[in-house]
Amino acid sequence: MSVRISEGTPNAGTPATGAARTPRMADHLNAALHTLLESDPRVFVLGEDIRDPYGGAFKITKGLSSRFADRVLSTPLSEGTLVGAGAGLALAGEKAIVEIMFSDFVTLAFDQIVNFAAKSTTMYGRPVPVPLIVRCPTGGRRGYGPTHSQSLQKHFVGVPGLSLHELSPFHHAGELLTHLLSLGEPCVLFEDKVLYTERIFRDGVVDDLFRFDLVGGPSGWARVGVPGETRYDCTLIAPGGLTRRALAAMRALLIEDDLLCRLLVPARLYPLDLAPILGDVTGHVCVVEDGTAGGTWGAEVAQALYPRLWSRLTRPIGLVSAADSVIPTAAHLESAVLVGEDTIRLAVREALS
Amino acid sequence: MTSTILDRDTVPLSPPSGEDLDRLLLIRHFELTLLRLFGEGRLNGTTHTCLGQEYVPVALRPLLDDDDYVFSNHRGHGHFLARHDEPHGLLAEIMGREGALCAGVGGSQHIYHRRFLSTGVQGESMPVAAGVALSLKRAGDGGLACVHIGDGTWGEGAVYEALNLAALWRLPLLVVVEHNGIAQSTPTTAQMSGTIAARAAAFGAAHHRTDSIDLNLIRLELAEPVRRVREEGRPTVIEFVTRRVGPHSKGDDTRSAEELTRVRAADWYVRYAAAFPEVFAAADEAQRLRMARITDEVAARPPSVWRAAP
Ligand SMILES: Cc1ncc(C[n+]2csc(CCOP(=O)(O)OP(=O)(O)O)c2C)c(N)n1
């Protein structure tokens, strides 16, 4: 391994010294929504408690209703109906972004998403545009307990007419939102709740060690690696919400275990477009996600990768997910169930030992 | 409901226009044709006919504008034909033939044509219609979204969520309830506590109940409530006391012979035939023949092609 680590290396995720501080994801996403509402008079935003002064449970919509009062609407506690109304707006020629306060509650809108919005794009025999984004603040590590911490991505995998996306600190949120609304089909956008509080990465810089670039367009992949390196011991594939944990694991693996990893983060989780990154997958492949074990997104990724990588693989693709368990509230219990940087590090180390 | 039917039976009917009668009878013969085709094994899947309820959308027809949206349900052929005189396209859709409205993908319960949309999950279209009504309200052209649901569909939470939202936001939403006293096999008395009127009242939505089958009378009754939906953004529930004369779908009627006799005696078809025997008989025969021609023509077409298949 040719990488040299200097003394006093900053923690993973800290921008390289000297770089201007980038915005936090919550502000970045909020700004993207402001821009979108400003530039497109057809865009509506619906959700529970999203209007000012509250501005949404995670403040992602703050300031929007003050500027666009008739297009940013707080709804009653009716997830099925706020998604359905978004689909209705879309059908009538508008564009709708709807917020599920905690993604756990998107189960209440499953019918509207699966049986109406997604199906309507094709079941009437001709393409029917349904420009709708269902925003889902997702994931645990905030102590909200079993019904406010889940990562439900896997439950939406494989629905015809529905695509799944996730925010990452690499992808530009505004470009992603604009792109999703241009698809004419409903999209579920998962947004890690801890990521909201973290700074985004810009200009290809992750930290002192890692750099990134983007391939495959606004919903394509972020490729994170060490400059100059092309052969990695391990390729991690993970949604955006896992970025910080994956980076921390990669740093530890490199410094302490002498294992060089790269990270690939797709903005679109499903359907998965592997073409832009197939050539970048080297070494052991490990797919990491926050959902619970069983019927996972990772299994879907792995089955898509196997036939393409078969001759290159030296061992089975590794799958890392949360435990097959509810997500407990107490911090020590929660961390035992969820994927942490150690979970990732251990999985890679064990596979490669 | 027994007394309602009896009361109403004594009220003389006003003469229908020729156009109205033709439309009522076209729908009747369309539905009878479907049941016959099923019996002959010439149709795939299932269908729900609106036998006995044809007059509901025909009565509403002149009250709705071209720019209004109509959301329909599983029992939607009459809703469609009252709005669009395109029986060929609808039959082709149901038979999977060329010229089908939705390439044969949607079939009987999933039609989207101009501003008419039906889907097969009970109650699901209420929130969607609320969203459409929000867009119509913003456009400010006086358009409304009309949703047809049955009495059984009041078991679905989506209906209440959407009604609440529509009343809260003063959306131009017209909910047409075809209260036929039964949902599939379950009588309303075994699936609904309380009343539709009280439900509407609870949300601050207007409610109007009619037990008439007289097209002209119904229109007189409904003109004002519908105007207020448009002009005041006042969500309104129109409850038609009606009856399902046929089976739920193809041949699944569990009602007693006595009940069926009573329901059939109150059928608009029987009552209009009795009230206006000559014009009725002529129109009935003309529409029967028209439907027979349509059926032969559509049945001879090649299978539909799904060009937009993903
Ligand atoms: C959500 C949902 N549950 C169940 C069904 C099956 N189903 C189709 S029609 C029907 C009865 C509907 O009754 P009602 O609303 O009174 O309408 P009607 O059939 O009397 O016209 C049922 C249970 C369905 N289509 N959707």
Side-chain angles (χ1 to χ4, degrees):
Chain A
M1 226 66 43
S2 59
V3 180
R4 293 174 53 94
I5 312 293
S6 58
E7 290 275 55
T9 301
N11 288 333
T14 310
T17 331
R21 279 157 76 83
T22 60
R24 295 188 192 281
M25 176 54 89
D27 296 324
H28 174 64
L29 182 56
N30 175 253
L33 288 167
H34 272 278
T35 308
L36 199 57
L37 280 155
E38 196 174 78
S39 62
D40 189 342
R42 289 221 166 269
V43 173
F44 280 72
V45 180
L46 268 53
E48 293 162 13
D49 300 288
I50 63 169
R51 284 174 70 92
D52 293 334
Y54 193 69
F58 296 97
K59 311 301 164 205
I60 305 303
T61 57
K62 70 173 187 271
L64 298 179
S65 67
S66 300
R67 293 181 64 200
F68 312 101
D70 57 343
R71 290 188 286 137
V72 178
L73 305 172
S74 282
T75 69
L77 273 69
S78 307
E79 288 75 13
T81 280
L82 72 91
V83 173
L89 284 166
L91 211 59
E94 321 283 1
K95 297 169 187 170
I97 300 177
V98 300
E99 176 178 298
I100 302 292
M101 184 186 277
F102 285 78
S103 71
D104 309 67
F105 315 147
V106 76
T107 54
L108 289 147
F110 200 66
D111 176 58
Q112 285 293 343
I113 295 171
V114 173
N115 281 329
F116 187 77
K119 279 191 180 61
S120 292
T121 62
T122 57
M123 80 168 169
Y124 296 110
R126 60 185 187 281
V128 172
V130 182
L132 169 71
I133 302 175
V134 182
R135 294 187 36 241
C136 292
T138 293
R141 300 181 294 137
R142 292 181 67 144
Y144 291 146
T147 64
H148 289 61
S149 305
Q150 298 171 87
S151 298
L152 298 177
Q153 290 87 333
K154 69 179 183 182
H155 297 290
F156 291 91
V157 169
V159 178
L162 186 70
S163 59
L164 312 183
H165 305 259
E166 182 154 334
L167 286 185
S168 93
F170 309 105
H171 296 82
H172 191 280
E175 285 170 19
L176 182 62
L177 292 174
T178 304
H179 171 68
L180 299 189
L181 286 178
S182 76
L183 295 175
E185 69 170 34
C187 305
V188 185
L189 177 62
F190 295 93
E191 306 172 357
D192 186 87
K193 299 195 290 265
V194 176
L195 176 60
Y196 283 154
T197 65
E198 297 169 344
R199 296 189 185 279
I200 63 167
F201 299 124
R202 278 207 178 132
D203 305 324
V205 179
V206 175
D207 53 25
D208 61 316
L209 207 49
F210 298 109
R211 297 289 180 273
F212 77 96
D213 67 357
L214 296 166
V215 286
S219 66
W221 296 75
R223 302 185 297 192
V224 185
V226 173
E229 294 289 344
T230 50
R231 295 195 57 79
Y232 290 84
D233 300 305
C234 175
T235 300
L236 295 172
I237 298 178
L242 278 136
T243 302
R244 288 300 196 298
R245 284 166 283 162
L247 288 173
M250 287 158 68
R251 171 173 293 271
L253 283 162
L254 184 57
I255 297 172
E256 290 165 40
D257 305 315
D258 203 25
L259 291 171
L260 183 62
C261 300
R262 79 169 321 166
L263 170 65
L264 301 174
V265 177
R268 190 173 78 195
L269 304 181
Y270 188 89
L272 208 59
D273 179 14
L274 292 169
I277 51 89
L278 268 185
D280 302 310
V281 181
T282 58
H284 173 53
V285 182
C286 182
V287 189
V288 190
E289 73 196 288
D290 275 316
T292 53
T296 59
W297 172 76
E300 172 67 23
V301 177
Q303 71 82 25
L305 282 173
Y306 272 122
R308 293 171 171 90
L309 298 181
W310 193 248
S311 58
R312 282 195 259 159
L313 289 173
T314 49
R315 56 180 69 73
I317 294 173
L319 297 180
V320 174
S321 69
D324 176 13
S325 165
V326 298
I327 299 168
T329 308
H332 68 289
L333 300 177
E334 186 189 39
S335 62
V337 160
L338 296 180
V339 174
E341 65 174 86
D342 291 347
T343 331
I344 302 170
R345 182 179 167 193
L346 219 64
V348 173
R349 211 167 52 190
E350 272 178 15
L352 291 178
S353 67
Chain B
M1 273 225 305
T2 310
S3 67
T4 323
I5 289 170
L6 293 178
D7 289 346
R8 185 176 47 189
D9 286 351
T10 63
V11 182
L13 291 168
S14 68
S17 72
E19 196 196 331
D20 280 341
L21 202 50
D22 284 350
R23 212 168 276 268
L24 282 172
L25 289 163
L26 173 70
I27 301 173
R28 171 62 52 113
H29 288 293
F30 189 96
E31 300 292 53
L32 291 174
T33 300
L34 291 186
L35 290 181
R36 182 171 56 75
L37 291 174
F38 265 112
E40 295 167 3
R42 294 167 68 194
L43 287 187
N44 189 32
T46 190
T47 197
H48 310 83
T49 67
C50 66
L51 294 167
Q53 301 174 206
E54 296 93 334
Y55 68 93
V56 172
V58 174
L60 289 168
R61 180 182 154 76
L63 300 175
L64 298 178
D65 294 340
D66 282 351
D67 287 345
D68 293 338
Y69 279 79
V70 172
F71 289 87
S72 175
N73 57 3
H74 60 299
R75 209 176 291 292
H77 308 151
H79 306 154
F80 178 84
L81 292 171
R83 191 126 172 99
H84 300 292
D85 189 27
E86 299 181 40
H88 292 82
L90 182 59
L91 185 62
E93 181 61 37
I94 296 166
M95 297 187 84
R97 298 303 156 97
E98 198 176 87
L101 294 167
C102 301
V105 182
S108 166
Q109 337 187 39
H110 315 93
I111 310 278
Y112 188 22
H113 183 64
R114 299 175 196 277
R115 294 190 164 194
F116 177 96
L117 185 146
S118 66
T119 187
V121 180
Q122 300 306 326
E124 186 187 68
S125 59
M126 283 280 291
V128 178
V132 165
L134 175 59
S135 175
L136 292 172
K137 178 181 170 147
R138 191 150 178 270
D141 299 327
L144 62 75
C146 167
V147 193
H148 288 271
I149 59 174
D151 47 281
T153 298
W154 288 84
E156 297 291 350
V159 173
Y160 301 89
E161 288 191 7
L163 203 55
N164 180 54
L165 190 81
L168 196 66
W169 291 356
R170 303 193 65 79
L171 302 178
L173 182 73
L174 181 69
V175 182
V176 175
V177 186
E178 298 182 40
H179 190 160
N180 60 13
I182 189 166
Q184 201 147 337
S185 72
T186 309
T188 310
T189 47
Q191 42 98 346
M192 183 188 288
S193 174
T195 63
I196 292 169
R199 283 164 161 74
F203 292 100
H207 172 263
H208 186 98
R209 183 172 184 270
T210 179
D211 62 3
S212 178
I213 58 164
D214 186 323
L215 298 177
N216 301 315
L217 205 68
I218 294 170
R219 288 170 188 158
L220 277 177
E221 277 184 38
L222 298 188
E224 179 62 8
V226 173
R227 185 193 65 75
R228 295 190 65 180
V229 173
R230 285 184 201 292
E231 292 176 14
E232 297 171 22
R234 185 171 189 256
T236 296
V237 177
I238 308 277
E239 181 182 355
F240 281 88
V241 178
T242 184
R243 66 214 49 71
R244 194 189 85 200
V245 169
H248 169 67
S249 51
K250 289 173 290 186
D252 50 352
D253 210 329
T254 47
R255 291 175 290 183
S256 68
E258 188 190 19
E259 165 106 24
L260 284 173
T261 307
R262 197 163 52 78
V263 160
R264 284 177 190 146
D267 186 5
W268 64 265
Y269 182 91
V270 173
R271 296 209 39 227
Y272 270 101
F276 312 100
E278 275 151 40
V279 277
F280 189 94
D284 193 33
E285 183 59 8
Q287 293 307 316
R288 194 183 61 74
L289 287 173
R290 182 183 177 205
M291 198 56 222
R293 277 195 307 274
I294 292 169
T295 308
D296 289 345
E297 199 266 283
V298 171
R301 294 181 186 180
S304 64
V305 178
W306 186 13
R307 292 202 171 73

